[in-house]
Amino acid sequence: MRNLKILIAVLGFTVFTVQSTVAQEKNNIKEKVYSTTVSKSPEKVKETLKKYSGYIISNEATYTKKSIGKIYKIKVTKRNWSHFLLINEDGKIIGIDEGEHSLVAK
């Protein structure tokens, strides 16, 4: 009976360890990031950036190709705070990336 309890404990530990390892491996999908500038981005993206007139908008931008189209990532700064805006080709802000805490609209 004691051997059965030890066997169950070892099997349970193994199952939970393997499960968490597999869950972490699936999130390592690499996306290709392309470099561009704000002046070369679509007009709708530029129009959206006009709403941030109180911010310093970086001229450097990047974009990734997703199933919904290109997603542009542009850095905006106000005083000591900076974050990245995630804007799709239609000019809609789909998220804000603040480093560790990123907000992405679904």
Side-chain angles (χ1 to χ4, degrees):
M1 189 68 170
R2 182 174 181 205
N3 289 338
L4 182 62
K5 290 181 182 178
I6 292 172
L7 180 63
I8 291 173
V10 169
L11 287 175
F13 178 75
T14 305
V15 167
F16 287 119
T17 304
V18 170
Q19 181 182 9
S20 65
T21 304
V22 171
Q24 292 175 0
E25 290 176 2
K26 291 182 181 179
N27 294 333
N28 291 336
I29 299 172
K30 298 284 182 181
E31 296 177 341
K32 188 164 183 178
V33 178
Y34 300 92
S35 181
T36 187
T37 61
V38 172
S39 59
K40 293 180 183 177
S41 62
E43 287 299 319
K44 292 183 179 181
V45 173
K46 293 178 195 175
E47 289 174 13
T48 301
L49 289 174
K50 290 179 183 176
K51 297 176 186 175
Y52 287 85
S53 61
Y55 290 77
I56 298 171
I57 300 170
S58 173
N59 191 39
E60 298 175 5
T62 60
Y63 68 91
T64 55
K65 294 180 181 177
K66 304 263 185 167
S67 60
I68 58 173
K70 292 181 183 176
I71 306 297
Y72 290 84
K73 185 174 182 180
I74 302 166
K75 183 177 181 181
V76 293
T77 306
K78 189 170 191 174
R79 293 188 211 116
N80 296 336
W81 304 100
S82 65
H83 56 275
F84 292 92
L85 294 177
L86 303 172
I87 306 171
N88 67 5
E89 291 177 305
D90 297 328
K92 182 179 177 187
I93 297 176
I94 60 168
I96 299 173
D97 186 0
E98 297 176 337
E100 284 186 30
H101 309 287
S102 59
L103 305 171
V104 178
K106 302 250 177 183

